[in-house]
Amino acid sequence: MSTPMLTEQDASHLRLLSIFHYVVAAMTALFSLIFIIHVVIGIGVLSGRLPMNPAPGQAGPPFDERLYGWMFVAIGSAIVLGGLTLAGFMAYAGRCLAHRRRHLLCLIVAGASCCVTPFGTVLGVFTLLVLLRPSVKQAFNPVQA
């Protein structure tokens, strides 16, 4: 099995996109870890170390204060987990771009990375533009002999 020859420009673009996928994946992972602060606050509220008592003379909330703690833990955990998962897929797509494999996965990750503004959006759009070229698409499909 031989892969079709790419132009020098297409090969250069795929190489740069691969590198930028690694960079944006690292930035996405780093920024998603910021929300661990929310998880810690939520655990503090649930454990009672961060009390949510009303000020003297004010009525308390009509619902359990622990609801705030559970919301902080759930939403913070979901954002951290989602960000790390997306970062993992971005890094894997960068590897796939370098080896010219899994064209559909690279397209899906390029679309998903558009949600990470501003760098992911730019990376996703340029990745889509490059991957939709017929010559690049042929390079991802192995020739059946």
Side-chain angles (χ1 to χ4, degrees):
M1 288 191 291
S2 65
T3 58
M5 295 299 293
L6 283 176
T7 64
E8 183 67 32
Q9 183 183 22
D10 287 340
S12 172
H13 288 173
L14 285 174
R15 191 171 32 256
L16 284 173
L17 285 174
S18 175
I19 293 168
F20 289 139
H21 267 78
Y22 290 129
V23 171
V24 174
M27 289 174 29
T28 301
L30 181 67
F31 288 130
S32 70
L33 290 176
I34 292 172
F35 287 91
I36 288 179
I37 294 171
H38 289 82
V39 176
V40 170
I41 290 172
I43 291 171
V45 169
L46 290 173
S47 68
R49 296 196 181 242
L50 188 63
M52 295 190 57
N53 297 331
Q58 290 184 345
F63 48 86
D64 190 14
E65 294 90 10
R66 293 186 311 162
L67 179 62
Y68 285 121
W70 283 115
M71 285 176 42
F72 267 77
V73 169
I75 294 171
S77 297
I79 292 173
V80 169
L81 182 64
L84 292 178
T85 301
L86 180 60
F89 273 116
M90 289 170 118
Y92 183 63
R95 181 173 173 81
C96 290
L97 285 169
H99 295 288
R100 293 180 187 88
R101 286 188 243 164
R102 301 181 193 264
H103 186 263
L104 181 62
L105 175 96
C106 293
L107 283 172
I108 292 170
V109 171
S113 69
C114 289
C115 294
V116 182
T117 56
F119 301 114
T121 304
V122 173
L123 177 67
V125 169
F126 283 130
T127 302
L128 288 171
L129 289 175
V130 170
L131 288 178
L132 292 176
R133 292 181 193 157
S135 60
V136 174
K137 188 173 182 177
Q138 279 184 341
F140 276 78
N141 296 329
V143 176
Q144 302 296 326

